[in-house]
Amino acid sequence: MNPRISIALFLLIICFHAQSQTNHSQELQIFNDNVFGLSEVMLHDVASPPAAARFYSYALLGAYETIRILGKTLPDIDKKFREDPELKAPVVPANADVVFCANYTMLEVGKQIMPSGPMLDENQKKLVEYFRKKKKIGKTSVAAQIAFCQDIATQIIQYARKDQYNKLSTYTRYRPQKEEGHWYPTPPEYMGAVEPQWATIRPFFLDSAQQFTPDRPVLFSKDTTSQFYNITKEVYTIGKNLSVEQRKIASFWDCNPFAVTYSGHMAIGLKKISPGGHWMGITGIACKKADMPLDSAVLVHTMVALALHDSFISCWDEKYKSDRIRPETAINKFMDPSWRPLLQTPPFPEYTSGHSVVSASSSEVLTYFLGDNFKFTDTSELYFGIPERDFTSFYQAANEAAISRLYGGIHFRDACDNGVSQGKRVGQFVLTKMFGTN
């Protein structure tokens, strides 16, 4: 049997099983709300895009492993990883509720892995209160299920602690190179480089951070006849002549958690979701539209999160190798000192475009599960006052996310185009490792 058809049938079987026993639309809403709870903590902490993807990955892995242990409806993911977590299944409590336990474990992992994770205490309390009233679960049963969830969460956290994240602060501090053509901090905050050693983080599936190195970027040159001058001029010209639609696209996909604005001499941080958070939102929207049961939705969310995680490792490896100058710096120095991009330039090197990479990898995973030409309305940014947008497929959304970086004035075209290619390869590899096909 074709593996792609096999996984589709697998999901269909899960869906039928869940429909016959539960109201899965309510279950999915509970799950989506708690995933957004993770996002709210990341917003509070101003988590960097790569770090946010890491937090989503381990938290969702907690939900995934809980359902696998309780219901055995999900494939064993542990042996697919580059490094096996070697989880030991705790004793399953009597009458354990899959929905309660999956959500509680996810929140418990989030609570332990994020700096402000304890904020999720409130989410857990609401979860307990809901299930005690809804399903009349007694205190003793709740306590037993919580202990079960905490056991799984503890093992996930132990696995996470071995991924080199705790060593990031021990590396020699990154210093920008002085030679022309390399990245340098940009206005208005001139922040230092974010996560320069992220390539040292352990991937879930990739053989190494260098496995999907993209094509070489256009080389820096001040020569007005050079290719670099041409791509720089393109950013400048587009930025000076943006249409209303191009501005909408750029703003919709901004996703810069480091953006700031000023009121007098006071800097004010602008709350924005990370690129990974935006795609987790799209995943929730798509699963809801497809009317998925919880176990299918957790499978899809987890695979998107893991692909995001490995995509950031691949992208950040390239960023700090090529260390290319941002358009804002090049244009201000060699063309027009007063020019400013529509979007604030994020604080890390330019090539490749992170949003292009992770959007492409996410679209590969979502298309695998839900098919091409899956129409959806992306309401992920309504929380931030940005109107919804309609898409005819995940690929269309990913391509729009990529070109938005050019419209926003923060990336050159080759960083967007080659970023999409890089992300597709990562996403396809993750699917191949997990399911034997792409």
Side-chain angles (χ1 to χ4, degrees):
M1 180 181 291
N2 184 302
R4 187 184 181 97
I5 297 175
S6 177
I7 191 65
L9 289 175
F10 168 74
L11 285 169
L12 184 62
I13 291 169
I14 291 177
C15 187
F16 175 80
H17 173 76
Q19 284 177 335
S20 66
Q21 298 186 28
T22 63
N23 177 4
H24 58 256
S25 62
Q26 181 62 37
E27 295 176 353
L28 186 55
Q29 188 60 54
I30 293 170
F31 175 68
N32 284 347
D33 288 345
N34 283 317
V35 171
F36 186 70
L38 300 175
S39 300
E40 288 184 306
V41 176
M42 294 179 208
L43 284 167
H44 177 273
D45 288 342
V46 194
S48 72
R54 176 179 181 266
F55 298 150
Y56 283 122
S57 295
Y58 286 111
L60 283 158
L61 183 60
Y64 186 100
E65 295 286 11
T66 300
I67 292 178
R68 184 181 67 81
I69 292 169
L70 286 177
K72 300 181 179 178
T73 55
L74 295 178
D76 188 347
I77 201 171
D78 298 358
K79 299 295 189 294
K80 309 289 185 179
F81 290 157
R82 198 179 80 167
E83 184 177 319
D84 189 342
E86 299 182 348
L87 299 185
K88 295 177 174 60
V91 175
V92 176
N95 302 315
D97 187 288
V98 173
V99 181
F100 174 80
C101 290
N103 280 278
Y104 197 96
T105 304
M106 178 177 70
L107 293 169
E108 185 65 24
V109 175
K111 190 166 72 173
Q112 294 187 43
I113 203 169
M114 295 188 287
S116 296
M119 290 172 60
L120 294 172
D121 273 333
E122 192 61 31
N123 297 68
Q124 289 181 320
K125 289 176 183 176
K126 290 179 180 178
L127 191 68
V128 171
E129 182 180 359
Y130 174 82
F131 277 88
R132 287 206 63 193
K133 289 182 178 179
K134 178 79 173 179
K135 299 193 176 181
K136 309 298 182 183
I137 302 176
K139 287 185 178 181
T140 301
S141 178
V142 167
Q145 293 184 61
I146 289 176
F148 168 78
C149 296
Q150 289 174 334
D151 191 326
I152 297 174
T154 297
Q155 294 187 66
I156 295 291
I157 291 298
Q158 289 173 345
Y159 177 59
R161 286 174 179 161
K162 298 176 183 178
D163 72 354
Q164 307 302 311
Y165 179 79
N166 291 336
K167 292 184 178 181
L168 292 179
S169 62
T170 68
Y171 293 105
T172 302
R173 186 173 181 178
Y174 175 88
R175 295 182 183 279
Q177 298 186 46
K178 295 181 179 180
E179 293 82 2
E180 288 186 331
H182 290 285
W183 177 82
Y184 201 79
T186 51
E189 280 296 283
Y190 298 93
M191 288 179 62
V194 169
E195 311 293 8
Q197 301 294 338
W198 198 260
T200 64
I201 297 294
R202 175 192 63 200
F204 283 100
F205 294 103
L206 297 184
D207 298 331
S208 72
Q210 301 78 39
Q211 186 174 359
F212 294 110
T213 298
D215 292 340
R216 294 297 79 210
V218 172
L219 292 175
F220 171 80
S221 173
K222 292 186 288 186
D223 187 340
T224 57
T225 65
S226 69
Q227 188 178 0
F228 184 81
Y229 184 87
N230 288 337
I231 64 172
T232 305
K233 186 69 176 291
E234 180 185 31
V235 177
Y236 177 73
T237 302
I238 288 176
K240 298 273 282 187
N241 299 280
L242 287 170
S243 68
V244 172
E245 181 64 8
Q246 288 172 331
R247 287 177 177 273
K248 287 181 179 178
I249 290 171
S251 296
F252 186 78
W253 295 102
D254 186 4
C255 305
N256 180 5
F258 305 107
V260 296
T261 188
Y262 281 87
S263 178
H265 295 289
M266 182 172 63
I268 302 172
L270 302 175
K271 293 291 186 181
K272 296 186 180 182
I273 202 164
S274 68
H278 193 142
W279 278 97
M280 293 309 298
I282 290 174
T283 303
I285 291 165
C287 289
K288 184 176 181 179
K289 181 180 178 182
D291 200 23
M292 281 189 182
L294 180 65
D295 33 14
S296 297
V298 169
L299 169 63
V300 176
H301 276 79
T302 304
M303 293 309 302
V304 170
L306 297 175
L308 284 167
H309 179 274
D310 282 14
S311 295
F312 272 115
I313 290 173
S314 178
C315 180
W316 251 242
D317 176 67
E318 176 57 38
K319 277 186 179 295
Y320 286 94
K321 280 184 176 176
S322 53
D323 193 42
R324 192 167 69 173
I325 191 173
R326 285 279 183 170
E328 183 171 13
T329 306
I331 291 170
N332 287 168
K333 190 168 184 178
F334 305 114
M335 288 184 180
D336 181 351
S338 66
W339 183 88
R340 291 292 180 269
L342 176 65
L343 305 181
Q344 280 188 28
T345 303
F348 34 80
E350 190 270 344
Y351 188 86
T352 47
S353 157
H355 216 326
S356 302
V357 176
V358 303
S359 295
S361 67
S362 299
S363 69
E364 286 293 320
V365 174
L366 287 169
T367 301
Y368 175 83
F369 286 113
L370 293 164
D372 202 355
N373 303 315
F374 185 94
K375 296 180 180 179
F376 65 97
T377 299
D378 185 358
T379 57
S380 302
E381 297 291 336
L382 285 177
Y383 181 84
F384 306 97
I386 299 175
E388 62 195 31
R389 289 185 68 79
D390 295 325
F391 297 100
T392 58
S393 72
F394 300 114
Y395 290 144
Q396 184 204 12
N399 289 334
E400 184 177 281
I403 198 65
S404 76
R405 319 319 269 167
L406 180 62
Y407 297 158
I410 60 176
H411 278 291
F412 300 107
R413 185 177 290 275
D414 64 334
C416 303
D417 293 346
N418 293 341
V420 168
S421 298
Q422 183 181 7
K424 280 182 173 292
R425 293 163 66 199
V426 174
Q428 290 167 0
F429 181 78
V430 167
L431 291 170
T432 299
K433 291 287 286 187
M434 186 66 189
F435 304 116
T437 186
N438 56 34

